[in-house]
Each structure stands twice: as C-alpha cells, then as structure tokens.
Amino acid sequence: MDFIQRTIDLARRNVEEGGRPFATVIVKDGRVLAESPNLVAQTSDPTAHAEILAIREACTRLGTEHLTGTTIYVLAHPCPMCLGSLYYASPDEVVFLTNRDDYAPHYVDDRKYFELGTFYAEFAKDYSDRRLPMRHEPRTAATDVYRAWQQRNNGERRVAGAPTAG
C-alpha cells in the first residue's frame, strides 16, 4: 500500500468536504493503525489536528501511550503542538510531505499569538517575555501532587515503560 498517497488522498477528501488541508496516517507492521484528517473546522476544536486525532486513535487501539514501531505520515511539517505530541508518542519515524515553503503560497494560518514563522523563537523565550501573557503562581500544594505521584509509583520519577533516549 502507498501510505504517502493515502495521506494525500485523505487530506484532499477533507478539503473537498470543507475541512483544512492536513492528514495523518499511522502505520505499524505494514498496516494502517490509525488515520485522520484535520477536523478543526468541522469541530471548532483547535486541538483537532490530524496528528493529534490519529495519535489518540492509535494509542487507544494499542492500549499504550507509546507508538514505538510505527511510522507516521503527515501532509505538512508538524506545527509545534503536533510536533510535541509526536515526540511524546515516540514513533520510529515521521514522514512529512510538504513544508511551509511548499504550501505558503496557498495556505496561511497565523493567529494572535501564533505565527508558524516566529513560533519557535517565541517558544524559546522565557515565559515572561512571550507574546502570550503568562504568569507563574507557585504553590507548594501543586508540587505536592507530583510528590504524591512519585510515592504512588514506588519512588519512581519516570513513567514506567516509557521509551527513553538512553
């Protein structure tokens, strides 16, 4: 099966149905495990990106938050939210079919605090210097939640079974 073409076809069908031009196909052992177009326009949910929806479906099917052993095909280089989700899910590989330069003449999605061209620089700033107003309100009781999690997990700080860099 041509998973690249399947990703393109899924995105094209979404555009024809009034959706946005993005799609994701997740493959494991040579078979489609999960797939989704971007459903932001259809659901009014700003997190309903194709990568997020397909990752949710794949993880539910596998019964794990880890997508090791998978290849994930996406129509466009992932946005920061999706990129973070992809890193967190730990697939073996992500294959993207277009980048911003390819689609910029045809599609732009700049928001009040989010422009793809400047977001990574914005993200690297200290929270107090970001365009999105943020403030830190430290509370010991908030940190105690993490302490309780560690105690519940026999003193371990890491999630059991999570793939690590080492």
Side-chain angles (χ1 to χ4, degrees), residues 98-131:
T98 63
N99 61 38
R100 269 179 297 191
D101 292 338
D102 298 329
Y103 67 73
H106 315 287
Y107 183 87
V108 175
D109 192 14
D110 289 344
R111 305 290 174 119
K112 181 176 181 180
Y113 300 118
F114 176 89
E115 291 120 5
L116 282 173
T118 61
F119 185 81
Y120 291 101
E122 181 73 13
F123 187 75
K125 293 177 184 175
D126 184 77
Y127 75 88
S128 61
D129 294 327
R130 292 183 185 144
R131 291 174 55 206

Side-chain angles (χ1 to χ4, degrees), residues 10-12 14-15 18-23 37-38 50 75-76 98 103 106-107:
L10 185 59
R12 185 184 317 279
N14 198 46
V15 168
R20 300 209 176 127
F22 303 98
N38 176 297
L75 195 74
T98 63
Y103 67 73
H106 315 287
Y107 183 87

Side-chain angles (χ1 to χ4, degrees), residues 145-160:
V145 174
Y146 295 97
R147 190 173 292 108
W149 185 88
Q150 182 181 21
Q151 289 169 351
R152 183 174 167 85
N153 288 281
N154 301 315
E156 291 295 324
R157 293 175 33 225
R158 288 187 172 79
V159 173

Side-chain angles (χ1 to χ4, degrees), residues 4-133:
I4 288 174
Q5 190 60 52
R6 186 173 179 122
T7 305
I8 294 168
D9 292 344
L10 185 59
R12 185 184 317 279
R13 194 166 43 252
N14 198 46
V15 168
E16 290 167 357
E17 295 170 1
R20 300 209 176 127
F22 303 98
T24 298
V25 174
I26 301 177
V27 176
K28 184 174 178 76
D29 299 326
R31 294 190 179 136
V32 173
L33 174 63
E35 64 185 10
S36 184
N38 176 297
L39 296 177
V40 172
Q42 296 92 320
T43 63
S44 301
D45 176 354
T47 68
H49 288 210
E51 296 94 330
I52 303 293
L53 298 174
I55 288 169
R56 287 177 185 162
E57 181 182 337
C59 289
T60 298
R61 284 194 173 159
L62 294 174
T64 179
E65 65 195 72
H66 314 298
L67 293 179
T68 53
T70 66
T71 299
I72 301 181
Y73 296 87
V74 296
L75 195 74
H77 185 274
C79 77
M81 176 180 67
C82 293
L83 188 59
S85 296
L86 289 161
Y87 267 88
Y88 204 80
S90 304
D92 287 2
E93 182 180 31
V94 174
V95 178
F96 65 97
L97 309 179
T98 63
N99 61 38
R100 269 179 297 191
D101 292 338
D102 298 329
Y103 67 73
H106 315 287
Y107 183 87
V108 175
D109 192 14
D110 289 344
R111 305 290 174 119
K112 181 176 181 180
Y113 300 118
F114 176 89
E115 291 120 5
L116 282 173
T118 61
F119 185 81
Y120 291 101
E122 181 73 13
F123 187 75
K125 293 177 184 175
D126 184 77
Y127 75 88
S128 61
D129 294 327
R130 292 183 185 144
R131 291 174 55 206
L132 174 66

